[in-house]
Amino acid sequence: MCYHREIRSIIRGALTVIALSAAGLSLAGEDLESRAVPMPEMTAEAAADAAYLAAEAKLLGKIAAIEESDNALSAKLIEPLEGLAKLYAANGAYLPAAETLKRARHLTHREFGLMSLEQIPLADELTDVYLAQGEVRNANREQRLNWRVASFNYGCLLYTSDAADDYFW
């Protein structure tokens, strides 16, 4: 409960500074109190929405800057796209999260190859998104892809004997 009050206070202060800046006022003014417009109370839900929108805007801005400076297929986009997908998934926007993760995986394939280990965390995130949507078949497909990539990079991972099961498990 106290944590939400601190966030609300910080956001209210930031919004006050932004509003004063837009009005051409500064905090150094003597008659600041008489010229300032009181801000309405912000609920914890509204503060969370504002934080989500701010984080989304920051990541989208970073993605746009990279696309403008390099191109839309730059490997520098993988990390911000993954962060954006995690943000979407955390807020229940599973369809944009899945599309963003697929784009990040495509860039991983272009940069590191089809059987690169760098795609495994992206496939795991995509599995979580599919499971949250109830798409078990797609989640299974992602995990089978992970198994194939790991098998390609590390050799066969099948344990066919009881001795192997005892050793590995």
Side-chain angles (χ1 to χ4, degrees), residues 1 4-5 7-8 11 41-51:
M1 193 69 150
H4 293 295
R5 287 185 194 147
I7 290 175
R8 191 176 340 161
I11 291 174
E41 284 290 319
M42 184 177 286
T43 65
E45 187 176 301
D49 288 343

Side-chain angles (χ1 to χ4, degrees), residues 21-121:
S21 298
L25 303 174
S26 69
L27 294 176
E30 295 176 3
D31 59 337
L32 184 64
E33 293 295 325
S34 63
R35 298 169 74 186
V37 177
M39 301 297 287
E41 284 290 319
M42 184 177 286
T43 65
E45 187 176 301
D49 288 343
Y52 167 76
L53 292 174
E56 181 185 30
K58 181 179 177 183
L59 286 167
L60 289 173
K62 188 175 183 178
I63 290 168
I66 293 171
E67 287 176 342
E68 188 175 314
S69 67
D70 293 352
N71 60 28
L73 299 174
S74 173
K76 295 177 186 176
L77 288 169
I78 296 169
E79 185 180 328
L81 285 171
E82 184 179 7
L84 183 62
K86 287 180 180 180
L87 180 69
Y88 285 150
N91 286 287
Y94 298 118
L95 186 60
E99 294 302 317
T100 306
L101 285 167
K102 288 177 187 176
R103 180 178 176 200
R105 184 170 53 193
H106 173 72
L107 296 175
T108 303
H109 288 169
R110 288 181 53 86
E111 183 68 20
F112 303 108
L114 287 174
M115 296 304 242
S116 67
L117 294 172
E118 286 80 5
Q119 69 181 308
I120 288 179

Side-chain angles (χ1 to χ4, degrees), residues 159-168:
Y159 308 122
T160 58
S161 69
D162 290 336
D165 284 341
D166 291 339
Y167 178 79
F168 289 106

Side-chain angles (χ1 to χ4, degrees), residues 105 109 114-117 119-120 123 138-158:
R105 184 170 53 193
H109 288 169
L114 287 174
M115 296 304 242
S116 67
L117 294 172
Q119 69 181 308
I120 288 179
N138 287 333
N140 184 35
R141 186 186 69 232
E142 293 302 322
Q143 287 305 298
R144 285 184 292 141
L145 171 70
N146 275 357
W147 185 85
R148 283 194 304 271
V149 169
S151 295
F152 178 82
N153 286 283
Y154 297 120
C156 186
L157 297 176
L158 289 175

